[in-house]
Amino acid sequence: MSLQDPFTDLKIERQDSGFYKGYNLPIALVSKIAVSLLVLWALVWPLSANDTLRSWKSGLLSEFNIFYDLSVALFAFFLIVLAIIPATGRMRLGCDDERPEFTNFSWFSMMFGAGLGVGLMVYATAEPLGLWETNPLTVSGEVAAKSQDAITGAYRYTFLHTGFHAWAIYVVTGLSLAYYAYTRDMPLTIRTALTPLLGEYSNGVAGHVIDILGVVATILGVAVTIGYGVSQLVDGAFLITSADWLMDGVMKPSTAGLIVALATVMVMSTLSAVSGVGRGVKYLSNLNLILSLVLLAVFIVFGSFAFALTTYGQALVDYIINFVPLSLQAYGPMSEVEFASALPPEAAPFVAELFPAATDAWGTRDSFLAGLSGETAALPDTAKHAAYEAGIPGRLFGWQSGWTTFYWAWWIAFSPFVGLFLARISRGRTVREFILGAVIAPSLVCFAWMTILGGSAIDLELNGDANGAILSASTTATLFVTLSQMISGHMLVIVSFMCVVLTMTFLVTSADSGILVMNTIMSGGVEETGVMHRILWGGLLTLVIGTLLIAGGGGLEALTNSMIIGALPFSVVLLLMCVALGKAMINDLRRARYDESPAKR
């Protein structure tokens, strides 16, 4: 008996005339209103906005940290199953005889630039170095921070944050959208991915809500990326020009510097977005990849390449061996009652004094002991150490929610943008090719960046050459400080200038791709959208980033808190995408078998 034909009658109403011609009015208006309200809130009441966002983020992580972490594990395992099963892996995103639109080089460079370009520039040195100082192995006391033994944990979690799990988030979105768009000829928009579950309800309010969540998540994800990127731009510009107005204090970008850098990036991004994917984004992405290879060569020649090469192999094996345990590692908050139950009797009366310090993920045993005073300081050494050990679950939760979950929220918020962008450039590829090309290949390149650039920074600190200079640098300044420890003179200026250009092109690529994707969602999947709307959304995106930077006092806290909050509802959409895609593939395979059966013939 044949299956019922899949639901493909997706009718997204578009305006026939006026300013919103070609756009779905509810999606466009609600998205703009939501973004405008966020801008006004952050602009008129910056302190209130920052404090409220911080409180919301804290409460959300207490309740949903485990949900975030296990959801990402599910995405990775889901894609592994699809790639391994022969029937699903050989399905083609398009007609059976269709071939890819872009060459592998252009496909990879666009994917690389949009997916993690700015993140690599900011975190290639900062991430491994930061995790060398603090990771679950150091937090639990298994190894000493900033030691030779701590390198294993540093790269285990660096690879977790930038590897298969992370890219799986993008690919779940991209594969879902591409599958329906190119095998069922449906619109390339977020709601399409849930049509196997929603059916005709996709044409109503439910569909509008899903697309709006995609737009809002995209704005917040792109905003955080650009926020970090412009901060690094200012750091690099200061190193080259020594202009005092760019900095506010020691290696902290000034608000004025950030706003000027932001305005420059967004003007260039909007101009590139107007030119479209085939020209602006494609050419910038190719330039990004070439300049990235040049920067990589600088670190290979002048950095600690032997250290990086050894670390890469060992860390990759360690990551693969620990893939399943890392996937299922999720912690909940620790209560004072739980902490008290693990204390020795002599320390039990001092729970209130001991609990905050013992569960502080960013402290150390030495700082915990040094911070004790009065009666707690007079406790026996065994009781003090036992109290610190009792706080391990709380410290692990604090570390994970502040580090790993922050990354998962960032990747999830970025996934509507990168996923839809991946879908647009991946027509004609098989499911297996899409998964391997967009999960495995970028991960291996990210690992190389993290070990070559980050390994050089760690080696300079480990052998004492940097003397703490890199460790004391801000996140966005770490790359430039590492370069200053490796090279000097005119060459340092030239390479630093190249890094500024590379960061700029990565930012422009991310922002213009985000603008194109937001317009695609609001137009119901139409790829060629109105120029004025691209310009308008470029302006709105600039206002979101600028006002949240001001609300954060020139820092990135308000931006990151907004993103973590906004990513939660879209993580539910991603889980539903997995269910919907699994259902669609199973039913399509059953239909194909029925059509080829003797009874059918």
Side-chain angles (χ1 to χ4, degrees):
M1 183 177 181
S2 64
L3 286 169
Q4 184 179 357
D5 289 339
F7 174 81
T8 58
D9 190 22
L10 195 57
K11 298 176 181 177
I12 302 176
E13 294 183 2
R14 302 181 184 90
Q15 296 299 107
D16 296 326
S17 60
F19 180 71
Y20 287 99
K21 181 180 178 180
Y23 285 79
N24 179 274
L25 195 58
I27 299 174
L29 287 181
V30 174
S31 298
K32 286 178 181 176
I33 290 170
V35 171
S36 299
L37 289 175
L38 177 61
V39 168
L40 288 172
W41 182 34
L43 188 62
V44 178
W45 298 285
L47 293 178
S48 171
N50 198 34
D51 291 343
T52 302
L53 289 170
R54 184 189 300 121
S55 176
W56 286 355
K57 183 207 73 170
S58 178
L60 183 147
L61 290 178
S62 294
E63 298 296 330
F64 292 100
N65 185 66
I66 293 175
F67 172 80
Y68 266 121
D69 287 279
L70 294 184
S71 294
V72 172
L74 188 146
F75 302 149
F77 291 133
F78 175 70
L79 293 177
I80 289 171
V81 171
L82 290 186
I84 289 176
I85 296 175
T88 55
R90 62 172 172 261
M91 287 180 163
R92 190 169 294 278
L93 303 174
C95 302
D96 292 338
D97 58 349
E98 195 165 1
R99 290 299 175 262
E101 176 184 1
F102 297 100
T103 64
N104 287 337
F105 180 83
S106 290
W107 181 57
F108 179 76
S109 62
M110 284 191 283
M111 173 172 57
F112 179 79
L116 197 61
V118 176
L120 280 184
M121 291 299 294
V122 174
Y123 283 100
T125 48
E127 173 79 356
L129 196 70
L131 288 171
W132 186 48
E133 288 189 90
T134 175
N135 63 68
L137 300 185
T138 63
V139 166
S140 62
E142 293 181 42
V143 299
K146 295 182 287 187
S147 66
Q148 181 70 41
D149 293 336
I151 294 173
T152 298
Y155 275 100
R156 180 181 300 172
Y157 289 92
T158 295
F159 283 17
L160 170 68
H161 297 156
T162 59
F164 305 150
H165 294 84
W167 284 89
I169 298 170
Y170 289 166
V171 174
V172 163
T173 308
L175 181 59
S176 296
L177 297 175
Y179 185 81
Y180 303 108
Y182 304 138
T183 64
R184 297 184 176 181
D185 197 26
M186 298 180 70
L188 194 59
T189 188
I190 305 298
R191 73 174 76 188
T192 300
L194 297 186
T195 50
L197 300 179
L198 297 178
E200 62 183 16
Y201 292 106
S202 303
N203 291 325
V205 175
H208 294 342
V209 170
I210 291 165
D211 283 343
I212 291 167
L213 289 176
V215 172
V216 173
T218 299
I219 285 194
L220 295 176
V222 173
V224 169
T225 299
I226 295 174
Y228 275 100
V230 295
S231 180
Q232 188 174 58
L233 270 184
V234 175
D235 286 325
F238 176 74
L239 181 65
I240 296 168
T241 66
S242 299
D244 292 337
W245 66 274
L246 291 171
M247 284 290 155
D248 182 13
V250 180
M251 291 307 288
K252 179 188 176 185
S254 66
T255 302
L258 290 171
I259 297 301
V260 170
L262 172 64
T264 304
V265 168
M266 293 310 299
V267 168
M268 294 177 64
S269 301
T270 304
L271 291 174
S272 180
V274 169
S275 71
V277 175
R279 290 184 293 174
V281 178
K282 177 181 176 180
Y283 296 143
L284 280 174
S285 297
N286 290 342
L287 176 63
N288 290 344
L289 193 56
I290 292 169
L291 290 179
S292 299
L293 293 175
V294 174
L295 179 61
L296 206 60
V298 170
F299 273 85
I300 289 172
V301 175
F302 298 99
S304 308
F305 185 59
F307 176 89
L309 201 61
T310 303
T311 302
Y312 186 100
Q314 293 174 344
L316 183 59
V317 171
D318 179 73
Y319 172 59
I320 293 172
I321 290 173
N322 288 282
F323 184 83
V324 174
L326 286 171
S327 301
L328 303 177
Q329 194 175 71
Y331 304 104
M334 187 181 197
S335 67
E336 282 196 22
V337 174
E338 293 171 316
F339 176 73
S341 66
L343 288 177
E346 58 269 36
F350 308 104
V351 172
E353 292 88 345
L354 295 170
F355 179 71
T359 55
D360 178 13
W362 318 115
T364 64
R365 186 185 296 270
D366 289 341
S367 64
F368 168 76
L369 295 174
L372 297 178
S373 61
E375 294 181 282
T376 55
L379 288 170
D381 288 343
T382 54
K384 296 176 187 176
H385 288 286
Y388 187 72
E389 294 297 317
I392 288 177
R395 294 198 300 277
L396 288 173
F397 163 74
W399 182 91
Q400 187 179 65
S401 62
W403 208 305
T404 301
T405 307
F406 161 73
Y407 278 115
W408 292 163
W410 194 353
W411 289 86
I412 289 168
F414 225 48
S415 65
F417 148 49
V418 180
L420 200 151
F421 187 73
L422 286 178
R424 288 185 68 175
I425 63 175
S426 300
R427 183 170 190 144
R429 299 185 183 273
T430 65
V431 169
R432 184 176 295 111
E433 184 182 8
F434 186 94
I435 293 173
L436 295 179
V439 173
I440 307 299
S443 295
L444 295 177
V445 173
C446 289
F447 296 164
W449 268 75
M450 295 292 177
T451 49
I452 294 173
L453 275 67
S456 295
I458 290 176
D459 193 41
L460 286 166
E461 289 289 5
L462 190 62
N463 61 31
D465 289 345
N467 197 28
I470 308 175
L471 283 169
S472 61
S474 67
T475 298
T476 54
T478 304
L479 173 62
F480 296 106
V481 176
T482 302
L483 284 170
S484 70
Q485 297 296 317
M486 291 165 39
I487 54 179
S488 59
H490 294 300
M491 186 171 187
L492 174 61
V493 175
I494 292 170
V495 174
S496 298
F497 179 76
M498 187 191 72
C499 288
V500 169
V501 173
L502 183 54
T503 301
M504 176 75 78
T505 55
F506 271 137
L507 283 170
V508 172
T509 303
S510 296
D512 63 10
S513 300
I515 293 168
L516 290 168
V517 165
M518 285 185 285
N519 279 275
T520 298
I521 296 172
M522 288 182 292
S523 64
V526 176
E527 296 188 12
E528 295 299 325
T529 56
V531 171
M532 286 304 299
H533 287 276
R534 299 182 200 180
I535 296 172
L536 178 61
W537 273 102
L540 281 173
L541 184 56
T542 306
L543 287 173
V544 169
I545 301 167
T547 53
L548 287 176
L549 284 173
I550 292 170
L556 301 171
E557 183 186 13
L559 272 173
T560 57
N561 290 345
S562 298
M563 177 200 64
I564 291 171
I565 295 164
L568 181 62
F570 199 77
S571 64
V572 177
V573 174
L574 285 176
L575 288 171
L576 293 175
M577 282 185 185
C578 293
V579 177
L581 184 59
K583 177 183 177 182
M585 285 184 163
I586 291 170
N587 287 338
D588 284 350
L589 289 171
R590 292 173 63 192
R591 291 185 188 97
R593 282 197 297 268
Y594 174 77
D595 291 340
E596 295 171 1
S597 67
K600 179 69 174 177
R601 293 197 298 267

